[in-house]
Amino acid sequence: MRLYVNIDHVATLREARQTDEPDPVQAAAAAERGGADGITVHLREDRRHIQDADVVALARSVKTVVNLELGAHPDIVRLARRLRPFQATLVPERRQEITTEGGLALRRGDRRLAAAIGGLQDAGVRVSLFIDPVRKTIDQARALGVPAIEIHTGTYANASSEQRRKKALNELRRAAAYAKGVGLAVHAGHGLTYQNVPPGTASPTRTCSPWRRFRRSRS
C-alpha cells in the first residue's frame, strides 16, 4: 500500500490570502517527513490554486515522487513533458466545479486524450487515468495502453448512510480486482480522510504500482 498526499488546497489558502504562504513545497516536505510515499498535485487550466512555479519547485524538491494531475490541455501536457514527473494522472476538468466530480468519460476516437497519453509516454512519464469503478471504463482505459488507473472514490466517501457506503466499497473492491486481473496497477482517490480510509485499505485488491522500481529504472 502506498500513500500519496494531495497538497492542492495548501495553495488554495495561499491564493485566497494573496500572499506567499502557506507554501505547498513546505507542505510536501512535511508530508514526506511524516511518511508519505509521494506527493499529488493538480495543475488546473484556470490555475485556481497550484501554479506552474509550484509544480517546477516540487519537481526539484520532492524526494519521493510527484504524481501530477492534469487535464489534457496542451500547455499543461507540454509542462509535464518537460518536467517528467514520475506519474501524470489525466483527470476531467470543468471550470464551474469546486473539485473533480467524477472520472473521465472515455470515448473511442478521443484524439485530444490519445495525444496527451502518447506525448506523456514519449517523454518517459508513466500515465494513469482517473476513472469511475465501471468495468467497461476499465476495459477502455486498458485499450488506451496506460499501465495504471486511479479509481474515483467519491461515491464511497460521500455516502450518506452506512448501507450506501458498504455498497460503494464493494463496487470499488470489484473494480479494483477486475483491473488488477487485466494487468493494470490500481490507485484510488477522492474524498478520502482519516475516518473513511481504513475500510478501503483492508481490501486485498487495493494495490498501488511498484513506483520505487519504476523510478530507479529511469534514473
Side-chain angles (χ1 to χ4, degrees), residues 36-80:
D37 297 298
I39 301 299
T40 292
V41 57
H42 185 173
L43 182 61
R44 282 183 170 267
E45 184 182 19
D46 61 8
R47 309 305 200 267
R48 70 176 63 169
H49 39 57
I50 294 295
Q51 306 297 308
D52 295 50
D54 295 322
V55 181
V56 172
L58 288 164
R60 293 172 177 168
S61 64
V62 167
K63 293 180 172 58
T64 53
V65 294
V66 173
N67 171 40
L68 176 61
E69 294 183 338
L70 68 159
H73 307 295
D75 63 323
I76 300 179
V77 172
R78 281 193 295 271
L79 179 65

Side-chain angles (χ1 to χ4, degrees), residues 78-96:
R78 281 193 295 271
L79 179 65
R81 283 170 53 86
R82 177 167 64 86
L83 296 178
R84 298 180 68 243
F86 159 69
Q87 179 168 280
T89 299
L90 289 161
V91 302
E93 281 189 11
R94 290 195 310 111
R95 287 292 182 96
Q96 298 83 5

Side-chain angles (χ1 to χ4, degrees), residues 13-186:
L13 181 57
R14 178 195 62 193
E15 296 301 304
R17 297 181 66 200
Q18 298 184 0
T19 182
D20 58 357
E21 59 179 3
D23 183 359
V25 173
Q26 292 182 8
E32 289 183 308
R33 290 194 299 271
D37 297 298
I39 301 299
T40 292
V41 57
H42 185 173
L43 182 61
R44 282 183 170 267
E45 184 182 19
D46 61 8
R47 309 305 200 267
R48 70 176 63 169
H49 39 57
I50 294 295
Q51 306 297 308
D52 295 50
D54 295 322
V55 181
V56 172
L58 288 164
R60 293 172 177 168
S61 64
V62 167
K63 293 180 172 58
T64 53
V65 294
V66 173
N67 171 40
L68 176 61
E69 294 183 338
L70 68 159
H73 307 295
D75 63 323
I76 300 179
V77 172
R78 281 193 295 271
L79 179 65
R81 283 170 53 86
R82 177 167 64 86
L83 296 178
R84 298 180 68 243
F86 159 69
Q87 179 168 280
T89 299
L90 289 161
V91 302
E93 281 189 11
R94 290 195 310 111
R95 287 292 182 96
Q96 298 83 5
E97 67 186 4
I98 301 300
T99 186
T100 305
E101 296 176 347
L104 283 164
L106 301 183
R107 300 182 301 275
R108 182 176 297 181
D110 187 336
R111 294 182 180 179
R112 190 178 194 187
L113 181 62
I117 293 171
L120 290 164
Q121 290 180 331
D122 287 347
V125 180
R126 186 174 189 269
V127 178
S128 176
L129 301 180
F130 185 70
I131 62 174
D132 292 321
V134 177
R135 182 173 294 199
K136 179 180 178 181
T137 309
I138 294 169
D139 288 336
Q140 291 172 319
R142 182 171 177 266
L144 285 166
V146 298
I149 59 169
E150 180 177 341
I151 296 176
H152 179 236
T153 57
T155 300
Y156 164 75
N158 299 324
S160 57
S161 68
E162 187 61 26
Q163 181 179 5
R164 289 182 177 179
R165 179 162 290 185
K166 286 181 179 179
K167 179 181 178 182
L169 181 57
N170 286 334
E171 289 175 351
L172 291 172
R173 286 174 167 163
R174 286 193 294 269
Y178 179 75
K180 185 179 179 182
V182 298
L184 292 170
V186 182

